C-alpha cells in the first residue's frame, strides 16, 4: 500500500551523528547494536506501525505481531549504507518473512512504498485465482523492471504467499456476501489491502 509518511519525529534528531558513529564502528570491524541509540524504541515501532495501520510495509500482511513477527526494516540495508541506519525515511515496519527474504539485498530500482510516485496499480496486478502478484505489463519498461525486482527481493510470490492471498481473498468475499464484513469500513483489519481497494 502507498504510505504517506509524516515528518521525522523529534526523538530521531540525532540521526546524523548516530549514523556517522555507527558507520565508523562498522569500519573498525566492531558490531554496533544500531537500536541502542534510540531511547524511544517502542515509540518508533508504534509510529511506524501507525504509518501502515500495523501492516507489513511490503507485503501488507496483518496483524503482524500475531501472524508474523514485527520487525523494523532498513530499506537501504545497514550493511551497505551504515550512515543511513537512523534515517526516518529508511525505516519501515516489516514482517519477518519479508525481512528474511530481502536480507542485505538492495537495488536502486526497488520500489519504496512511501515514494511520491508509488501506486500499486502502476506496477502490479493481482491474479485473484492464484494469488500471485504479477508485473503490470501496461507499465513502461522501467516500471516493469522495478516491479520485477521488488517481487523478487521481498519474495512476494514465495513461501506459499500466493495461496495465502487467494485464500484470504475468497474468505473476504464470503464474509462480505454474508454481510459480516464491510470491505470499505473494515479495510484496515484485512491483510493484503491492495486486493480490495
Ligand atoms: Zn511482509
Amino acid at each position: 500500500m502507498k504510505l504517506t509518511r509524516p515528518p521525522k519525529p523529534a526523538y530521531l534528531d540525532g540521526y546524523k551523528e548516530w549514523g556517522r558513529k555507527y558507520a565508523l564502528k562498522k569500519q573498525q570491524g566492531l558490531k554496533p547494536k544500531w537500536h541502542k541509540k534510540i531511547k524511544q524504541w517502542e515509540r518508533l515501532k508504534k509510529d511506524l506501525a501507525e504509518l501502515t495501520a500495523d501492516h507489513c510495509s511490503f507485503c501488507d500482511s496483518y496483524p503482524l505481531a500475531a501472524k508474523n513477527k514485527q520487525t523494523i526494516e532498513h530499506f537501504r540495508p545497514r550493511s551497505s549504507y551504515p550512515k543511513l541506519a537512523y534515517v526516518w525515511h529508511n525505516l519501515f515496519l516489516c514482517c519477518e518473512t519479508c525481512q528474511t527474504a530481502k536480507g542485505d539485498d538492495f537495488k536502486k530500482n526497488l520500489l519504496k512504498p512511501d515514494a511520491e510516485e508509488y501506486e500499486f496499480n502502476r506496477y502490479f496486478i493481482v491474479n485473484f485465482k492464484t494469488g500471485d502478484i504479477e508485473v503490470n505489463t501496461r507499465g513502461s519498461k522501467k516500471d516493469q523492471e522495478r516491479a520485477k525486482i521488488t517481487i523478487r527481493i521481498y519474495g512476494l510470490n514465495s513461501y506459499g504467499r500466493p495461496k495465502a492471498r487467494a485464500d484470504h481473498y475468497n474468505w473476504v468475499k464470503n464474509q462480505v456476501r454474508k454481510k459480516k464484513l464491510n470491505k470499505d469500513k473494515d479495510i484496515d483489519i484485512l491483510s493484503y489491502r491492495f486486493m480490495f481497494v
Side-chain angles (χ1 to χ4, degrees):
M1 291 294 278
K2 187 187 177 84
L3 306 177
T4 307
R5 190 184 285 266
K8 169 180 69 64
Y11 56 80
L12 287 178
D13 275 352
Y15 77 100
K16 273 189 189 160
E17 197 202 323
W18 301 342
R20 262 199 307 270
K21 284 186 178 158
Y22 183 81
L24 191 70
K25 281 191 180 163
K26 281 225 145 188
Q27 225 176 37
Q28 293 165 344
L30 302 168
K31 285 185 182 156
K33 291 207 167 87
W34 82 274
H35 65 271
K36 265 184 140 175
K37 287 279 180 215
I38 304 171
K39 299 267 186 300
Q40 301 201 43
W41 178 248
E42 289 304 319
R43 182 84 192 279
L44 172 63
K45 267 212 293 205
K46 209 176 135 247
D47 285 348
L48 288 175
E50 214 164 276
L51 190 58
T52 63
D54 212 13
H55 293 62
C56 171
S57 305
F58 304 99
C59 69
D60 211 56
S61 60
Y62 172 90
L64 282 193
K67 262 196 195 158
N68 196 338
K69 215 176 113 197
Q70 197 182 57
T71 68
I72 293 181
E73 156 77 358
H74 288 78
F75 186 71
R76 288 182 186 250
R78 282 181 279 140
S79 52
S80 327
Y81 301 88
K83 282 188 184 163
L84 304 184
Y86 302 96
V87 172
W88 172 232
H89 280 80
N90 197 36
L91 303 175
F92 288 89
L93 191 77
C94 185
C95 77
E96 211 174 16
T97 308
C98 284
Q99 196 174 51
T100 306
K102 181 165 174 274
D104 285 341
D105 208 352
F106 176 74
K107 291 279 177 295
K108 194 170 94 272
N109 283 335
L110 186 65
L111 289 167
K112 195 166 184 270
D114 65 340
E116 218 171 292
E117 78 276 7
Y118 179 74
E119 288 294 343
F120 181 86
N121 296 325
R122 174 175 168 180
Y123 298 97
F124 306 106
I125 53 168
V126 179
N127 180 329
F128 288 93
K129 220 171 165 181
T130 63
D132 279 287
I133 292 179
E134 296 172 354
V135 174
N136 180 357
T137 51
R138 287 185 180 175
S140 68
K141 219 177 144 200
K142 191 181 175 192
D143 283 358
Q144 292 189 46
E145 186 55 29
R146 298 192 74 182
K148 221 166 98 184
I149 284 172
T150 304
I151 291 171
R152 179 179 62 76
I153 288 188
Y154 285 107
L156 295 178
N157 288 332
S158 307
Y159 318 109
R161 292 166 132 184
K163 186 179 184 303
R165 280 192 290 261
D167 289 351
H168 184 64
Y169 180 72
N170 289 328
W171 179 81
V172 170
K173 233 169 57 179
N174 236 318
Q175 296 299 103
V176 170
R177 199 167 43 227
K178 291 183 196 157
K179 297 199 174 357
K180 287 186 176 167
L181 206 62
N182 180 316
K183 236 169 46 179
D184 300 315
K185 219 178 78 209
D186 300 323
I187 187 78
D188 280 341
I189 58 161
L190 300 178
S191 277
Y192 324 124
R193 291 170 293 176
F194 49 85
M195 296 203 292
F196 306 108
V197 289

